Amino acid sequence: MLFCFFSVSAIMAKSEKDENSVWSKPDMAKAFKPIVCIETWATYSSKEKDDEHDYVDRNDTQIRRFRTGAKGQPYWFLGYSFQIQLDRLGQDGYSSTKGSYGGIDVWNAYVTAKLLRKSDLLNLQAGYFWAATSRQFNTSPWAVSGFDKSRSCWYLRSFTTGKGNGIESGIGLGGVKNWKGFGINYRVGVYEPEAFACPDNSSRLVTGRLMFTIGDPEQSKYKYMLSGNQWRERKGITIAVGGSNLNDGCINESVYFKNAQTYGADIAIDYNGIRIDGEYYKMKRTSEELLDFTGTEMHVCVAYNVIVSNKFIEPSVTYDYFKGEGSSELFKHIGDDATWDLGVNWYLNKDRLKLAAHYLIQSGSAASRVGNYAGLALQFRL
């Protein structure tokens, strides 16, 4: 934080002062932009069951996501984002959609300092944001081609940070640099997950992600989160590696672990409206007293954009898979979890106004219960 403060102060004093003042003047046109994002679901669940019950098929309507807040770039070197969430409002707890209503909560709150005026290679972030390692981890839920972000990545986020959304307080550095036909993009971060802190051990999580792009760039300017659909504009491949490491933490007052690691690779291919993206990541947690936990998370999505009446129609197929083995005390999700997602998306204003119709088939033993569902979604972003 001190490095960020003094670096930005030096840049500001040199570039922003004028004859009458050394104070930096904000650009009020860019200083405040409201955020309103709503996604509503109407679903029909079938074949939902657990070890003890076969649940009745049911309809359900819910606010799958509601986010509001603000973002802005008041200075060329400093931007911010803040959002609160009210997700899964009205969800039927016995439907086949997963998750539960948790009330109003802070979704993210962070600032981004651009350390180089004429380059996007060095951007420092601090606050409450994603401890990202994989592509799905680092992709906005508003930009995915599936009906929802993959269930398999939920396990990776929960394993890494102790939270299903993968968001934690920390500080990070990221950037992008593009040349003709080639580019690099990276993020590194240090976080303090409260879920793994205990009196005898502190928890320090280190994450990293490095992307190599061939062909058209995936990002022309640095943004922390990645986009999904490229609207038939990109011809390129991005290959990435990522991982995390956390030493000395605890699950509860009696279960300690020595080390937790994730590592893997992912890819995104865009060509003339065809998009293929996927990832494969491993998880491992070790303890001196317990059997080690090992896990695998993967997903692949194939989508194709067709232009009809100046609107984008996108059929897509997504498969995601998780498998966990070892001690259930180190990570409670032991078994497998698989989902097939088949559907079509209709973009009326790119991903700011979107209609979707999908059918999901879920199976496995890691989740408390499994079932299938058909869903209709309306997504609106201001």
Side-chain angles (χ1 to χ4, degrees):
M1 292 295 288
L2 288 173
F3 171 75
C4 174
F5 174 78
F6 288 117
S7 298
V8 172
S9 296
I11 296 170
M12 176 194 69
K14 182 178 180 181
S15 61
E16 295 291 334
K17 67 181 180 180
D18 56 31
E19 293 180 355
N20 301 317
S21 175
V22 297
W23 302 113
S24 183
K25 296 181 179 180
D27 184 347
M28 298 308 297
K30 299 180 180 179
F32 180 85
K33 182 178 180 180
I35 297 173
V36 178
C37 305
I38 302 173
E39 184 176 342
T40 61
W41 279 12
T43 61
Y44 180 79
S45 301
S46 62
K47 301 181 180 179
E48 179 80 358
K49 63 181 180 180
D50 59 21
D51 293 338
E52 299 180 356
H53 299 93
D54 290 329
Y55 295 91
V56 174
D57 296 353
R58 65 192 66 228
N59 298 308
D60 184 35
T61 56
Q62 63 174 288
I63 303 297
R64 172 62 182 89
R65 290 183 178 89
F66 175 79
R67 313 276 168 80
T68 186
K71 63 181 180 179
Q73 183 96 29
Y75 307 97
W76 69 262
F77 56 84
L78 191 67
Y80 70 92
S81 177
F82 168 74
Q83 295 183 53
I84 60 174
Q85 62 95 3
L86 189 65
D87 291 3
R88 299 189 176 96
L89 180 62
Q91 181 186 43
D92 186 331
Y94 297 104
S95 68
S96 297
T97 58
K98 296 299 180 278
S100 59
Y101 172 64
I104 299 176
D105 196 6
V106 174
W107 182 251
N108 63 45
Y110 63 96
V111 295
T112 302
K114 185 175 181 179
L115 304 184
L116 301 173
R117 181 158 195 164
K118 296 183 179 181
S119 173
D120 271 346
L121 194 57
L122 292 175
N123 298 271
L124 192 144
Q125 279 156 316
Y128 188 63
F129 59 104
W130 298 265
T133 57
S134 75
R135 169 164 293 277
Q136 188 83 170
F137 207 136
N138 221 150
T139 301
S140 167
W142 311 99
V144 296
S145 297
F147 196 65
D148 203 3
K149 293 192 74 169
S150 72
R151 285 177 59 183
S152 62
C153 190
W154 181 93
Y155 293 102
L156 180 64
R157 298 193 299 265
S158 179
F159 180 87
T160 304
T161 65
K163 298 178 179 179
N165 60 15
I167 299 175
E168 190 50 86
S169 58
I171 187 167
L173 193 69
V176 59
K177 178 67 174 178
N178 294 311
W179 297 271
K180 186 177 181 180
F182 181 73
I184 59 171
N185 197 323
Y186 75 94
R187 291 126 176 76
V188 293
V190 180
Y191 306 83
E192 311 291 335
E194 59 180 344
F196 302 129
C198 51
D200 296 328
N201 299 12
S202 63
S203 57
R204 178 162 297 165
L205 172 68
V206 179
T207 68
R209 177 171 166 75
L210 179 62
M211 291 160 274
F212 301 95
T213 297
I214 301 170
D216 294 336
E218 190 170 1
Q219 286 188 334
S220 58
K221 294 183 179 180
Y222 175 77
K223 293 182 180 179
Y224 190 80
M225 297 300 281
L226 299 173
S227 58
N229 199 318
Q230 297 294 319
W231 318 113
R232 301 182 67 94
E233 296 175 354
R234 181 182 185 237
K235 295 180 181 179
I237 300 174
T238 301
I239 300 172
V241 293
S244 67
N245 186 79
L246 189 151
N247 289 323
D248 296 326
C250 65
I251 308 301
N252 52 52
E253 293 182 356
S254 60
V255 179
Y256 295 79
F257 62 85
K258 185 177 180 181
N259 181 261
Q261 293 180 333
T262 68
Y263 55 92
D266 55 76
I267 190 171
I269 303 171
D270 295 284
Y271 187 81
N272 285 349
I274 298 174
R275 179 175 176 85
I276 302 172
D277 68 78
E279 65 187 32
Y280 184 90
Y281 276 76
K282 300 291 290 185
M283 297 166 267
K284 186 174 183 179
R285 187 172 287 166
T286 61
S287 170
E288 294 181 351
E289 293 83 15
L290 300 168
L291 180 68
D292 294 349
F293 169 84
T294 59
T296 300
E297 178 270 335
M298 63 86 66
H299 98 276
V300 61
C301 177
V302 180
Y304 181 62
N305 278 302
V306 182
I307 300 177
V308 179
S309 299
N310 296 321
K311 303 295 188 296
F312 288 91
I313 304 295
E314 181 192 47
S316 69
V317 177
T318 304
Y319 175 75
D320 67 73
Y321 177 78
F322 164 81
K323 185 176 182 179
E325 300 176 296
S327 172
S328 60
E329 292 187 77
L330 290 180
F331 193 60
K332 65 180 182 179
H333 302 286
I334 303 299
D336 63 329
D337 194 346
T339 302
W340 280 99
D341 177 345
L342 299 89
V344 61
N345 306 307
W346 183 21
Y347 300 95
L348 289 86
N349 184 14
K350 294 189 174 180
D351 56 12
R352 294 189 174 278
L353 183 58
K354 168 185 169 183
L355 294 171
H358 288 246
Y359 185 73
L360 287 84
I361 304 169
Q362 303 174 126
S363 62
S365 59
S368 58
R369 61 181 189 271
V370 294
N372 305 332
Y373 67 93
L376 299 174
L378 170 63
Q379 176 177 305
F380 167 76
R381 299 170 64 203
L382 181 65

